Amino acid sequence: MRRSAEGPEVKKRFGRNDRIFIAVFAAAAAMLLLSGRWRLAPGARVVVTIDGERYGEYSLDREQEIPIRIDGVTTNVLTIRDQTADMTWADCPDRLCVQQKAISGENETIVCLPNRVVVQVAGGKESGLDTIAK
Amino acid sequence: MRNKSVYKTAYLGVFLALALVFSYVESLIPFYFGVPGVKLGLTNIVVVLMLYCVGAKEAFVVSVVRIVLAGFLFGNLFSIIYSLAGGLLSFLAMTVLRRTEKFGVVPVSICGGVFHNIGQLALAALIVENYHIFYYMPVLLAAGIVTGFLIGIAAGECILRIGGRIK
């Protein structure tokens, strides 16, 4: 049953394979991160879906508080301010969606898993070029 | 004479208790990156240690029981489901990588961290039926590498120091 802890791969802290492995993973993650950030064009509106079904669509230009109701009960409150959307209240126990920072870039999402609510930023009128020009 | 199965039961109990303590400690640390679901994964120290010093079967049992118990103690039903999705995939990835015997503790742990995040994100995408949340994949991958690296170093040191004494 017992496996020896004195295997050759344990004795040395970092073998050659380990260094290569870590370098490849780190490089891949860095590339993914950078490519993802570049594509972040500013969005114009947020789309709220519940359980995969469209609930509503709201412009990021209009500052407002949007209660999200499921079967008449308010489960989440979405606040739009300064062109960003932020989940400011939720009835779920962990409130991970409330902790999440406000979103404004296209395709950015806030997800409330217990209520299956997804808030996603969609379609900006501006192109990526304007982002750089700002 | 020493009864082997009693001895093993006691050892598994100790490991499970240790994993639960790690879960508790982790639930106290506000470790937050702006993306939900990023955690240090302290309990993975126990899983990696067991994978190397005790065996895959035992590590699996402790890992699953730990997730269910920690879910009841410090979380909720959702956290159990998500932890299981991440934990099982992570365990599978670590076991496979360990079996190749080509890599040390740190890559195995990194693999565990990365696949834990992949598992959770995949399940989240399935449940909310929105595949755009894979947008967070790069962040979660990077987080998995960083946390996996730290946990791997800690687990590696544990294995070097106490690994030989675990029977």
Side-chain angles (χ1 to χ4, degrees), chain B:
Chain B
M1 286 296 100
R2 195 155 69 192
N3 186 330
K4 254 203 160 170
S5 79
V6 169
Y7 196 70
K8 205 166 119 187
T9 307
Y11 248 116
L12 292 188
V14 170
F15 277 124
L16 181 58
L18 184 62
L20 275 172
V21 168
F22 275 142
S23 291
Y24 177 63
V25 170
E26 192 158 83
S27 74
L28 295 178
I29 305 174
F31 186 74
Y32 193 67
F33 271 141
V35 175
V38 176
K39 281 199 290 185
L40 197 49
L42 278 176
T43 45
N44 212 31
I45 293 179
V46 178
V47 178
V48 173
L49 183 71
M50 289 190 72
L51 210 53
Y52 274 87
C53 301
V54 186
K57 210 171 66 193
E58 290 84 350
F60 180 79
V61 171
V62 167
S63 176
V64 171
V65 177
R66 194 280 303 176
I67 289 169
V68 174
L69 286 180
F72 281 122
L73 286 170
F74 322 117
N76 50 58
L77 196 62
F78 273 98
S79 62
I80 295 179
I81 296 169
Y82 288 105
S83 294
L84 273 180
L88 294 180
L89 197 63
S90 152
F91 183 82
L92 192 74
M94 288 197 293
T95 314
V96 169
L97 199 66
R98 158 121 178 75
R99 285 275 157 84
T100 64
E101 306 237 313
K102 286 200 171 63
F103 298 102
V105 182
V106 175
V108 168
S109 169
I110 289 178
C111 220
V114 167
F115 276 92
H116 193 278
N117 289 346
I118 291 176
Q120 288 199 328
L121 197 63
L123 189 71
L126 272 176
I127 286 187
V128 298
E129 293 175 34
N130 181 326
Y131 298 96
H132 282 292
I133 68 170
F134 275 104
Y135 168 83
Y136 289 116
M137 196 57 114
V139 184
L140 286 172
L141 284 183
I145 291 172
V146 173
T147 58
F149 181 78
L150 297 174
I151 295 302
I153 285 175
E157 294 301 316
C158 289
I159 293 166
L160 274 172
R161 284 171 167 75
I162 60 166
R165 278 175 230 172
I166 300 165
K167 279 161 198 151

Side-chain angles (χ1 to χ4, degrees), chain A residues 7-26:
Chain A
E9 79 271 35
V10 179
K11 265 193 173 157
K12 261 204 240 155
R13 283 183 173 90
F14 284 101
R16 199 172 131 264
N17 282 344
D18 297 355
R19 283 195 209 112
I20 295 169
F21 181 98
I22 294 164
V24 167
F25 258 64

Side-chain angles (χ1 to χ4, degrees), chain A residues 108-127:
Chain A
E108 274 192 299
T109 49
I110 294 176
V111 180
C112 174
L113 284 173
N115 296 331
R116 300 190 181 182
V117 172
V118 179
V119 180
Q120 183 169 357
V121 181
K125 294 153 282 185
E126 299 153 303
S127 72

